[in-house]
């Protein structure tokens, strides 16, 4: 399999779509399909589900499989589909990644196991076993703020060397020195994605492949356009859009992701404001900030109201 050729297809804004729930916390598949179609119609270059924004840790393994399979059907090959298949549990990760391969996903996003705090050798063994179990491309997902351990650049480079199907990494890592070293050690054809909203533009500037940004749940057109402008060589346009998006990026992380994004989408009338416990909708004060920000971006009418908490 020509992984370098495949990796070029997986560049751009890959939208990490939230999982909408009904009032009884069951999955709202009708709204889910609408969100996926909205992302594609708005220009998102790829779709991911059951990553951090999708609340996978609140789902059973069977529910995650169901969500992945449904999303794959809705995407229907229109853009690359890269579900999140990582878990705190190694066997669950193997199972979900194999399911992604069997359903025809274009790749899988595999998070560093959270809570366990494995050392670098253990992380290497975990990811190598996952990579060896499938042939689809894998994108590692490094998010130290959630997992309590950082996947080192040397470890990523060794995995990339030993596993041809490990073609990239999503770095939700504010350490910009670290992400530079990832490309230095892995080579600049390695797909580096930003998972930190404020670093989406800077990572493109150092040779990144795109971004997997929670903000695209609320502003998919703009987040995709940032990549398009950079690819077209419009540096000034990309810079302007980067700064234009900062206030929205900021307010969408006033509380734990995806709570603010879900609140914003509920205000926009796209979903019900429901998260599964232990997460919950943001406070009335944060809701008001979100509402005012959406109004300032001309995304919401000024006579709209905040949600109940």
């Amino acid at each position: 399999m020509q992984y370098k050729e495949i990796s070029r297809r997986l560049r751009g804004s890959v939208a990490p779509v939230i999982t909408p729930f009904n009032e009884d916390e069951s999955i709202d598949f009708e709204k889910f399909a609408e969100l996926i179609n909205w992302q594609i119609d708005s220009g998102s270059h790829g779709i991911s589900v059951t990553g951090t924004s999708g609340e996978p840790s609140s789902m059973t393994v069977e529910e995650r499989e169901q969500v992945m399979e449904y999303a794959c059907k809705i995407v229907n090959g229109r853009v690359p589909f890269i579900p999140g298949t990582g878990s705190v549990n190694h066997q669950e990760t193997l199972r979900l990644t194999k399911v992604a391969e069997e359903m025809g996903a274009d790749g899988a996003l595999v998070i560093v196991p959270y809570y366990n705090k494995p050392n670098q050798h253990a992380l290497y063994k975990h990811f190598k076993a996952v990579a060896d179990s499938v042939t689809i491309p894998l994108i590692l997902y490094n998010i130290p703020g959630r997992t309590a351990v950082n996947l080192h650049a040397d470890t990523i480079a060794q995995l990339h060397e030993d596993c041809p199907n490990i073609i990239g990494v999503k770095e939700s890592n504010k350490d910009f020195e670290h992400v530079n070293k990832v490309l230095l050690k892995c080579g600049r054809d390695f797909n580096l994605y930003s998972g930190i909203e404020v670093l989406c533009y800077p990572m493109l500037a150092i040779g990144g492949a795109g971004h997997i940004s929670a903000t695209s749940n609320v502003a998919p057109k703009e987040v995709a356009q940032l990549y398009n402008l950079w690819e077209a060589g419009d540096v000034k346009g990309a810079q302007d859009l980067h700064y234009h998006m900062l206030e929205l990026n900021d307010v969408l992380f006033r509380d734990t992701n995806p709570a603010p994004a879900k609140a914003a989408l509920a205000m926009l009338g796209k979903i019900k404001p429901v998260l599964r416990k232990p997460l919950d909708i943001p406070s009335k004060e944060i809701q008001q900030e979100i509402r005012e920000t959406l109004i300032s971006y001309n995304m919401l009418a000024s006579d709209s109201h905040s949600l109940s908490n």
Side-chain angles (χ1 to χ4, degrees):
M1 183 175 292
Q2 299 297 317
Y3 289 110
K4 287 187 177 181
E5 181 178 334
I6 293 171
S7 68
R8 285 193 289 269
R9 290 185 54 243
L10 305 184
R11 299 174 66 89
S13 174
V14 179
V17 182
I18 61 99
T19 306
F21 297 123
N22 294 301
E23 295 293 347
D24 63 0
E25 298 187 9
S26 62
I27 299 165
D28 188 339
F29 285 102
E30 181 179 350
K31 291 296 183 184
F32 193 38
E34 291 175 4
L35 290 175
I36 292 170
N37 287 326
W38 180 50
Q39 288 289 336
I40 296 173
D41 292 344
S42 297
S44 291
H45 306 99
I47 296 293
S48 183
V49 299
T50 61
T52 303
S53 298
E55 299 175 69
S57 60
S58 72
M59 297 182 193
T60 65
V61 176
E62 291 76 18
E63 283 180 317
R64 288 185 66 174
E65 292 178 356
Q66 189 178 16
V67 166
M68 288 163 53
E69 289 168 354
Y70 185 81
C72 188
K73 179 181 177 181
I74 298 300
V75 172
N76 194 28
R78 290 177 288 170
V79 296
F81 176 59
I82 311 167
T85 61
S87 167
V88 67
N89 181 285
H90 178 71
Q91 292 300 323
E92 287 182 3
T93 302
L94 290 173
R95 170 177 166 176
L96 289 166
T97 307
K98 190 65 177 178
V99 167
E101 179 177 53
E102 290 170 351
M103 71 176 61
D106 297 278
L109 180 68
V110 189
I111 195 169
V112 168
Y114 36 94
Y115 184 76
N116 292 316
K117 296 183 69 173
N119 61 36
Q120 295 301 303
H121 182 61
L123 287 171
Y124 172 86
K125 291 175 67 177
H126 167 72
F127 283 118
K128 187 174 189 306
V130 177
D132 288 346
S133 72
V134 294
T135 60
I136 58 172
L138 300 185
I139 298 169
L140 309 178
Y141 181 8
N142 189 27
I143 180 168
R146 294 255 190 171
T147 63
V149 62
N150 184 46
L151 184 62
H152 293 176
D154 286 336
T155 307
I156 298 171
Q158 192 64 57
L159 283 163
H160 179 48
E161 180 178 342
D162 296 345
C163 308
N165 57 331
I166 294 181
I167 57 94
V169 61
K170 174 185 177 181
E171 283 285 354
S172 293
N173 194 331
K174 293 183 178 180
D175 184 347
F176 202 59
E177 181 180 354
H178 163 84
V179 298
N180 277 266
K181 287 181 178 178
V182 168
L183 281 186
L184 176 66
K185 292 176 181 292
C186 294
R188 288 164 61 187
D189 59 348
F190 190 66
N191 280 18
L192 173 68
Y193 302 87
S194 178
I196 297 288
E197 279 58 31
V198 73
L199 295 183
C200 288
Y201 171 74
M203 282 205 200
L204 290 172
I206 66 169
H211 30 263
I212 306 175
S213 166
T215 299
S216 63
N217 277 293
V218 178
K221 182 178 180 180
E222 290 79 3
V223 176
Q225 182 67 358
L226 179 65
Y227 178 82
N228 293 339
L229 288 168
W230 178 259
E231 278 294 288
D234 187 352
V235 175
K236 176 65 163 52
Q239 288 176 339
D240 289 346
L241 184 54
H242 165 73
Y243 285 106
H244 172 70
M245 295 297 290
L246 288 185
E247 186 179 355
L248 181 60
N249 288 333
D250 190 43
V251 80
L252 290 178
F253 286 86
R254 285 282 195 272
D255 198 348
T256 302
N257 179 51
K262 280 198 159 184
L265 286 170
M267 291 176 193
L268 296 174
K270 293 190 175 293
I271 64 169
K272 300 176 183 70
V274 180
L275 291 94
R276 282 187 175 176
K277 299 174 184 64
L279 295 179
D280 197 4
I281 207 73
S283 67
K284 290 183 179 179
E285 291 76 16
I286 294 176
Q287 287 181 39
Q288 184 61 20
E289 285 188 70
I290 295 169
R291 175 183 170 276
E292 291 173 357
T293 301
L294 293 177
I295 291 171
S296 73
Y297 277 77
N298 296 316
M299 300 172 70
L300 194 64
S302 59
D303 60 353
S304 63
H305 298 286
S306 295
L307 310 170
S308 60
N309 186 271

